[in-house]
Every structure is written in C-alpha cells, then in structure tokens.
C-alpha cells in the first residue's frame, strides 16, 4: 500500500524538535579564566555556514580548532552528515560529541539516532540509545521511528512494552510509530492484537481527537484487511483531513471494496469544500475505477487530475495507465506512457502488467527488454508482472529463462510471489509434475500463494492427486479460506467423485465457512450496477431472465451446449441449466444487451475466475448479437468478438 505522509503538529515540543536543553558541562570548563575564554576565536557560526554550503570536510577541519562547539553546531553537522550520506564522517562526529560531553544531551541523542537511521546503520543507532542514561520520550520516539521505517516492528513493540514497564508516558508521536510498527513486519495475527491493545490505550488516554493518530489507526487496520474496524474508526473521527479520507479510500480500494471507495470519494467531494484531494487520494480512486472497469468514471477522474495539475505525479500517471488497461482501453494506457517525460520502474511495471493482463505476453517481454535497454533496473515487482504475462500467454520457456535471470543477471533473489508465478506458468501449460518439482526444490517455505497456484492449475487440468496434496497444505495454512475447499470440490466434481464432493461440502459446513459469492459489475451511462444472483433486487430482473432463457434456447439451435459439469450438485440436467443461467456474469451480459446502444461495447468485471460455461455462452452471445463484450475476471481480460475470445480458451 501507499505510504501516507501524516502531518505533524507544528507546536513544540515534538520528536523532531524537542526542547533544546544545554548539557551540563564538566566543572573544569566552568572555572576557565574569562580573559582566556574571550580571547579564543569562536568558529561556531563559520562551521554552520560551511555546512549549509555543503563544505563538510572544511567544517570538520574548523571543528578540530573550536574548543567550545555549541549544541546548534553539532546539530547542523549531524544533519550535514546525513545529507551527504557519509557514515565515516558521522561516526567521527559522534566520537567528537562524546569526547566533549554532549553524548548525554537528549536533543542531540535524538538527532544522532535519526542520522544513523538515514545512513542505514541501525546498529549504531541502537548503541546511541543503549548508552544514553536519561532517555526522554523524544529519545524513545527517535528509535521507534528508525526501527519502524526499517521494518523491525516486533523489536519496536518489545521496546514499547519495556518503556511502559518503567512508567514513561507515551505521547501522540509514540502511538503513531508503534501503530506503524504493527504492520512494519509481516502482518501476523499477534501483531493485529497488539494494534488493538494500542487502540485501547489511545482511547483510555483521550487521544482520539488527534487526527494523525486516528489516521494511522485506520491505515493499520486496513493493512490487516480489517475493513470494518477501519471504517468504524474513520466514522468516529471527530476531525478528518485529506489524509484521513485518503487512508479510508485506500483501505476500500486495497481490500476488494472499490464501490465503497468511489462512494467515499463522492462523499469527500461534498463534505470537504476547503480540502482538495491530493495525489494519494487520486491513486486510490483510480484503483477503484480500475477494479470495477468503470471507464466513464475513470475518464471523469482523469479530467479532474488534469484540472488539478496532478498529471505530472509519477504514481498518479502509473495508476492512470493501469486504470485504462483494466478498463479494456490498452491503447489509451500506452498513449499516456508514451507521453511521459520521466519514467520510473513503477511506470514500466504498470505497462508490462497491462499487456500481460490482456494476454499479450510477447509484447510484455518486448517492453521489459526495452526497459532494461534504457537503463532502468527491474524491481521484484517487475518480474512478478512479466512472469504473469508469460503465464497468461503460455510462454513457458521464455518465463523459465526470465526466472533464471533474476539472480544471475539482476541480483534479485526469487520470493514466494515469483515461485507462485512459475508454478502458475507451468501448471496452466499442464506441466504439473514440473511445477510440483519446483515446489519441492524451493529453499524457502512455499506458503499459501504457491500451493494456491498449484491447486488452481489442478482445477484447470483435473489432476486429483496433486490437488489433494496442495489442498492438504492449504487447509493447514489457510484454515478459514473457503475458496480452497471449493476448488477441491470442483476438481472432485469434474472427476465425478461425488462422495468426495459431499465430504468437502460437509467440511465447509462444519467449519462454518462460506463460499465467496460470484459477483459481476457493469458500468452503464456512468452508473455501476452489481449482480450476484437472480434473487438480488433489480427492477429489470424479470426482463433479464426472460432474455437469457430466449437466448439460450436460440443459441442451442446454433450449437451452444451448456457445460453443466461446473455445477457441483448431483441434479438432473435441466435443473443444472437453470442454475447456470443465474451466474452473475450472464446477468450482467443480459443487462448490458438491454441497456446499451448498438455498437457500444459491454464491459464487465468478475470477482472470480470465469467458468467454462459462461465463457462459452459469452462467445456465442458476441456472435449471435454482433456485440463486442469485454470481461475481466480475477485472472485476465477476455475480449469476446464474433464468437472468438482473445484468450484462445487459455485461462
């Protein structure tokens, strides 16, 4: 998720501006002869000026001749060492500070910890903290901040417990950093519980009025996927700013609730007349439009971005590229990319993943090679994008070469995500034994993503033996994920192993797990409509049902044959066909046929994989009605036209 910049209150004291209390000087320096002291030249102002001019080496030379460096001089030197990224000079300065008795000055200690953190020398930062005898809250906060930014969340929470035991009260900055620490490491359930405890501390101390604390709390719950908790905190906030609204929108957009994100954006525009959305806000809104394939909404947002002058912000441009691609307008995304004056790796990743989503694996590979040629170093996400593109296009050998090049040519060690891509690549190509071998030879724990990729591939090719192996591990790793049970039941059903289907369904019931309902969205005249089943209220539902029944009957005469095997119940064929006609994507297609003009493209988004029958049905519809239909499922784009799908029946 995007990291939000949380504005800090400007009034002192704060973590970055604690009170400047001069240190106690050795008694010998208090008894110096005044005449000698007055005759000694004072170089403090000159040292500070040299630092501001960037001449740090000359400043250090002058420092060696200054008998009484001031606190301000040391502060400026510390900041200069951080700015010039010089660890050796930083360590020399630290020694000088210690020799002059300033190493116990709480103000300078906080600056030293921050300096070492910016120089990626956390060991030195820890040593400064450990050697400080009188640790003010500002000193604790400085270390909390350094460790949190470096991803050592559990260490921060351990220190926080220690601080509480000695009775030092937290301030509003403490709570901000320890909340961020809960998600700085892997999002474990134990850390979520710790976040809830901190939430309780905040309420007990009456700090819910601080907008930056509550915004961080929203973000913390969002990172754990606790949308209801985040929404509750947001709704109870007495004061909200643009960062608060953006955090809640990002929570919805990142956790599968794009419709709610767009609704919140509209609410924000109405309520906050004096607070315009910023670039972070617009990225979340574009992500929501992309998730819903809401092209018209996305175009309106694009126009707003142009009016606000946010079209030069790289994350916004990358989000625009992705939005247009996920709405089926790949050419518009390419056009935005071509007009970019400056491109970062995120922009390239957006374009690569866009072509991969549409099944253009070879084009994605070409863009990857062009990125390398232009001197842009690929990131781990780049390889996830390009390997995914190879998977959608069936480019097995090309994908294997890319995977091998990660470590050999680019110094990137494959993560779980990369292994999951490789298992998916081989599995889709029906090279399941090879995919299983990759898992067996992994040097890291495969995890749910890798086993999930294998189970999904077993579903495509009906490999019962490997499916049972994968699902056994998934039931241990994700005991509350109903999707894994449903996939296994699908495989058993296709193999006509009905007793095993009943057994898996019984497991779902006894563990109180519910299958994620298939949902489809369609945008018509800038309004987004959602379909789950025929039982969902819709003023046109009777018209939709009658149209589907009529089309199915007419298409059967043209060769359409309902693929009833996807229905997991042991029912007669007519009842299975009736169930198939209630699938959400068919309802959305029929709604689109009723409510769009001739020549207008129907755009649909599905939250699950497109089933074989809906795929076949939509191919027939596109030819039978002479209509262009775009369907984006959880895997890729399907471009239906004249009875043919762009995926080539490979998804």
């Amino acid at each position: 998720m995007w990291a939000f910049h949380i504005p800090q209150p400007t009034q002192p004291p704060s973590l970055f501006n604690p009170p400047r209390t001069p240190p106690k000087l050795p008694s010998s320096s208090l008894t110096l002869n005044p005449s000698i002291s007055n005759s000694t030249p004072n170089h403090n102002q000159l040292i500070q000026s040299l630092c501001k001019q960037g001449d740090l080496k000359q400043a250090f030379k002058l420092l060696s001749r200054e008998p009484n460096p001031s606190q301000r001089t040391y502060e400026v030197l510390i900041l200069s060492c951080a700015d010039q990224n010089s660890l050796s000079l930083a360590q020399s300065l630290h020694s000088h500070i210690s020799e002059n008795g300033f190493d116990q000055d709480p103000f300078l200690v906080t600056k030293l910890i921050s300096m070492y953190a910016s120089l990626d020398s956390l060991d030195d930062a820890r040593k400064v903290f450990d050697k400080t005898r009188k640790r003010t809250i500002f000193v604790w906060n400085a270390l909390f901040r350094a460790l949190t930014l470096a991803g050592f969340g559990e260490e921060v929470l351990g220190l926080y417990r220690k601080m509480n035991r000695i009775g030092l009260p937290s301030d509003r900055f403490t709570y901000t950093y320890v909340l961020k620490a809960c998600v700085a490491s892997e999002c474990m359930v134990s850390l979520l519980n710790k976040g809830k405890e901190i939430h309780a501390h905040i309420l007990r101390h009456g700090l819910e009025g601080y907008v930056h604390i509550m915004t961080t709390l929203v973000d913390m719950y969002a990172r754990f996927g606790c949308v209801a908790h985040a929404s509750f905190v947001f709704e109870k906030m007495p004061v909200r700013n643009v960062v608060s609204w953006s955090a809640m929108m990002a929570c919805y957009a990142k956790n599968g609730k794009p419709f709610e994100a767009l609704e919140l954006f509209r609410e924000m525009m109405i309520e906050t007349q004096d607070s315009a959305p910023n670039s972070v806000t617009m990225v979340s809104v574009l992500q929501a439009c992309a998730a819903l394939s809401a092209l018209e909404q996305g175009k309106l947002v694009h126009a707003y971005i142009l009016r606000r002058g946010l079209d030069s912000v790289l994350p916004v441009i990358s989000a625009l590229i992705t939005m247009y691609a996920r709405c089926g307008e790949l050419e518009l995304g390419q056009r935005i990319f071509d007009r970019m004056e400056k491109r970062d790796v995120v922009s390239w990743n957006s374009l690569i993943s866009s072509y991969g989503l549409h099944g253009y694996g070879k084009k994605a590979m070409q863009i990857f090679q062009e990125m390398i040629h232009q001197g842009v170093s690929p990131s781990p996400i780049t390889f996830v994008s390009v390997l995914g593109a190879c998977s959608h296009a069936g480019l097995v050998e090309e994908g294997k070469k890319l995977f091998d090049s990660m470590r050999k040519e680019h110094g990137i060690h494959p993560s779980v995500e990369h292994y999951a891509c490789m298992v998916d690549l081989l599995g889709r190509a029906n090279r399941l034994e090879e995919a299983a071998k990759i898992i067996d030879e992994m040097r890291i724990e495969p995890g749910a993503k890798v086993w999930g990729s294998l189970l999904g591939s077993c579903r495509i090719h009906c490999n019962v033996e490997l499916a049972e192996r994968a699902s056994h591990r998934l039931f241990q790793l994700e005991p509350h994920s109903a999707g894994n049970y449903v996939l296994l039941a699908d495989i058993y059903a296709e193999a006509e192993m009905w007793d095993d289907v009943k057994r898996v369904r019984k497991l779902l019931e006894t563990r109180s797990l519910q299958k994620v309902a298939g949902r489809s969205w369609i945008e018509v005249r800038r309004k987004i409509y959602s379909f789950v089943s025929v039982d969902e209220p819709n003023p046109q539902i009777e018209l939709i049902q009658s149209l589907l029944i009529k089309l199915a009957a007419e298409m059967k005469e043209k060769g359409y044959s309902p693929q009833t095997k996807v229905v997991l119940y042991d029912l007669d064929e007519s009842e299975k066909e009736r169930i198939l006609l209630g699938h959400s994507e068919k309802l959305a297609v029929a709604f689109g046929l009723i409510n769009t003009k001739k020549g207008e493209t129907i755009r649909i988004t599905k939250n699950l994989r497109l089933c074989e029958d809906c795929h076949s049905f939509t191919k027939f519809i596109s030819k039978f009605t002479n209509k262009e239909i775009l369907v984006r499922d959880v895997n890729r784009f399907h471009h239906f036209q004249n009875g043919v799908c762009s995926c080539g029946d490979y998804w």
Side-chain angles (χ1 to χ4, degrees):
M1 109 171 354
W2 296 96
F4 293 100
H5 171 67
I6 301 176
Q8 310 283 358
T10 56
Q11 61 268 28
S14 74
L15 169 60
F16 306 106
N17 189 29
R20 298 170 179 250
T21 53
K24 286 186 177 180
L25 298 176
S27 57
S28 58
S29 56
L30 297 175
T31 57
L32 288 174
N33 188 320
S35 61
I36 297 174
S37 177
N38 291 336
S39 63
T40 305
N42 189 315
H43 301 300
N44 282 292
Q45 289 295 330
L46 186 53
I47 293 170
Q48 294 170 29
S49 297
L50 287 168
C51 287
K52 290 174 183 177
Q53 294 166 21
D55 194 350
L56 190 55
K57 289 186 178 179
Q58 190 62 36
F60 264 81
K61 287 180 181 178
L62 203 57
L63 178 66
S64 64
R65 301 203 302 268
E66 171 54 54
N68 296 305
S70 68
Q71 185 194 58
R72 174 60 181 164
T73 296
Y74 279 135
E75 179 193 4
V76 174
L77 283 164
I78 289 170
L79 295 173
S80 297
C81 288
D83 289 341
Q84 295 198 18
N85 200 31
S86 176
L87 180 59
S88 59
L89 286 177
Q91 290 170 334
S92 297
L93 176 63
H94 186 188
S95 297
H96 197 284
I97 290 171
S98 299
E99 290 167 4
N100 279 270
F102 278 81
D103 60 325
Q104 295 301 314
D105 176 4
F107 176 78
L108 290 181
V109 166
T110 64
K111 296 296 180 181
L112 283 169
I113 292 172
S114 298
M115 174 191 71
Y116 280 129
S118 69
L119 295 172
D120 296 324
S121 184
L122 285 179
D123 285 342
D124 284 314
R126 291 183 182 101
K127 287 174 184 175
V128 172
F129 179 83
D130 291 340
K131 290 179 179 178
T132 304
R133 292 187 294 275
K134 184 180 179 182
R135 298 169 186 158
T136 65
I137 189 60
F138 307 110
V139 173
W140 285 90
N141 285 348
L143 188 64
F144 288 163
R145 179 179 182 272
L147 294 173
T148 297
L149 292 175
F152 293 94
E154 290 184 83
E155 184 178 349
V156 171
L157 295 173
L159 287 167
Y160 177 63
R161 284 192 292 271
K162 182 178 179 181
M163 190 186 86
N164 286 333
R165 281 198 298 270
I166 64 175
L168 183 65
S170 301
D171 68 4
R172 57 188 182 276
F173 299 104
T174 313
Y175 288 118
T176 299
Y177 291 122
V178 294
L179 283 172
K180 288 182 178 181
C182 293
V183 292
S185 307
E186 291 185 12
C187 294
M188 298 183 293
V189 175
S190 59
L191 297 185
L192 170 60
N193 292 334
K194 190 63 187 176
K196 290 179 178 179
E197 287 179 25
I198 296 165
H199 185 180
H201 292 176
I202 291 165
L203 296 178
R204 278 202 300 271
H205 290 89
L207 297 174
E208 60 267 34
Y210 288 100
V211 66
H212 68 280
I213 293 179
M214 303 311 284
T215 300
T216 309
L217 197 54
V218 168
D219 193 42
M220 185 272 292
Y221 281 127
R223 292 282 296 276
F224 281 105
C226 300
V227 180
H229 288 76
S231 179
F232 178 81
V233 173
F234 179 78
E235 292 298 329
K236 295 290 184 181
M237 287 177 70
V239 179
R240 299 171 187 162
N241 59 18
V242 65
V243 183
S244 315
W245 288 92
S246 299
M248 194 64 230
M249 264 178 262
C251 174
Y252 284 137
K254 296 284 188 182
N255 287 286
K257 293 187 176 292
F259 190 83
E260 288 83 351
L262 290 181
E263 285 293 315
L264 192 65
F265 177 61
R266 278 191 280 270
E267 186 182 334
M268 174 188 176
M269 296 298 284
I270 293 169
E271 289 191 16
T272 57
Q273 303 292 336
D274 57 339
S275 183
N278 59 21
S279 60
V280 177
T281 316
M282 302 321 297
V283 167
S284 295
V285 175
L286 287 170
Q287 288 172 342
C289 292
L292 294 167
S293 293
L295 179 62
E296 296 306 315
Q297 294 277 350
K299 286 180 176 178
L300 288 174
V301 174
H302 188 181
Y304 180 81
I305 287 167
L306 293 172
R307 288 199 303 272
R308 291 271 292 116
L310 296 172
D311 55 316
S312 60
V313 181
L314 284 176
V316 173
I317 303 173
S318 298
L320 274 170
I321 293 168
T322 302
M323 184 274 292
Y324 278 119
R326 291 178 73 83
C327 290
E329 293 290 344
L330 191 54
E331 290 182 5
L332 285 176
Q334 177 72 65
R335 200 180 304 169
I336 290 171
F337 181 84
D338 292 339
R339 291 177 179 175
M340 293 178 70
E341 294 181 5
K342 181 183 177 183
R343 298 166 184 157
D344 61 0
V345 68
V346 178
S347 312
W348 287 97
N349 290 348
S350 296
L351 194 65
I352 291 168
S353 62
S354 295
Y355 277 98
L357 184 66
H358 284 263
Y360 299 120
K362 290 185 178 179
K363 179 66 175 176
M365 289 280 292
Q366 289 174 8
I367 297 167
F368 174 76
Q369 296 299 337
E370 184 184 348
M371 182 187 81
I372 302 295
H373 181 71
Q374 292 196 16
V376 179
S377 299
S379 67
I381 294 174
T382 308
F383 283 98
V384 171
S385 299
V386 74
L387 286 171
C390 290
S391 181
H392 292 315
L395 303 176
V396 178
E397 296 307 319
E398 292 88 341
K400 289 173 72 174
K401 288 178 183 176
L402 269 170
F403 185 76
D404 290 339
S405 74
M406 285 180 62
R407 187 185 289 107
K408 293 177 182 177
E409 298 177 23
H410 303 285
I412 297 175
H413 292 276
S415 67
V416 168
E417 286 78 9
H418 301 114
Y419 280 106
C421 287
M422 284 303 297
V423 170
D424 187 64
L425 171 71
L426 294 165
R428 286 179 189 276
N430 202 14
R431 293 165 67 163
L432 288 164
E433 295 300 331
E434 199 173 340
K437 186 179 178 183
I438 280 187
I439 297 175
D440 292 337
E441 294 177 352
M442 284 177 64
R443 295 181 179 179
I444 57 177
E445 178 62 37
K449 288 184 179 179
V450 174
W451 289 112
S453 293
L454 183 63
L455 184 60
S457 297
C458 292
R459 161 70 179 82
I460 297 169
H461 301 292
C462 195
N463 188 311
V464 175
E465 183 182 348
L466 276 178
E468 289 178 333
R469 179 187 170 193
S471 60
H472 175 72
R473 289 294 295 123
L474 284 167
F475 294 164
Q476 294 174 330
L477 294 167
E478 298 179 327
H480 302 297
S481 175
N484 298 324
Y485 294 85
V486 173
L487 271 178
L488 182 61
D490 282 350
I491 295 164
Y492 283 141
E494 189 167 350
E496 297 185 350
M497 299 168 65
W498 297 110
D499 289 340
D500 290 295
V501 172
K502 290 176 183 176
R503 177 175 58 82
V504 175
R505 287 179 56 201
K506 187 69 176 175
L507 280 173
L508 277 168
E509 291 174 9
T510 55
R511 297 179 184 182
S512 301
L513 301 176
Q514 286 190 338
K515 174 186 175 183
V516 176
R519 182 179 289 273
S520 296
W521 293 270
I522 182 172
E523 184 186 37
V524 176
R525 289 185 286 277
R526 294 180 180 172
K527 288 186 178 181
I528 300 165
Y529 299 87
S530 171
F531 293 89
V532 177
S533 69
V534 291
D535 298 323
E536 192 173 35
N538 187 292
Q540 294 182 324
I541 195 64
E542 292 183 5
L543 188 58
I544 290 169
Q545 284 179 287
S546 61
L547 176 60
L548 285 172
I549 292 169
K550 179 183 176 184
L551 287 171
E554 292 178 359
M555 287 192 306
K556 280 182 182 179
E557 297 176 3
K558 303 290 184 180
Y560 164 65
S561 177
Q563 299 192 37
T564 54
K565 66 177 183 178
V566 302
V567 179
L568 297 184
Y569 301 96
D570 193 6
L571 304 169
D572 60 53
E573 289 299 300
S574 61
E575 186 62 18
K576 286 185 177 182
E577 288 183 24
R578 188 191 68 80
I579 291 172
L580 287 175
L581 284 180
H583 281 196
S584 65
E585 50 267 58
K586 290 191 182 78
L587 299 175
V589 166
F591 183 83
L593 291 171
I594 294 168
N595 293 283
T596 57
K597 299 174 184 177
K598 185 178 180 180
E600 188 178 347
T601 301
I602 295 174
R603 303 172 192 275
I604 295 168
T605 304
K606 174 81 186 290
N607 67 333
L608 302 174
R609 181 181 183 270
L610 201 61
C611 81
E612 287 85 345
D613 183 67
C614 286
H615 193 268
S616 174
F617 184 88
T618 311
K619 282 200 297 186
F620 269 92
I621 286 282
S622 68
K623 184 174 182 179
F624 197 71
T625 62
N626 193 28
K627 198 78 167 170
E628 183 180 6
I629 304 171
L630 296 180
V631 180
R632 196 190 78 232
D633 70 1
V634 73
N635 289 329
R636 58 165 297 155
F637 243 103
H638 300 266
H639 187 163
F640 298 96
Q641 196 167 25
N642 198 29
V644 178
C645 180
S646 61
C647 76
D649 299 339
Y650 187 85
W651 84 104

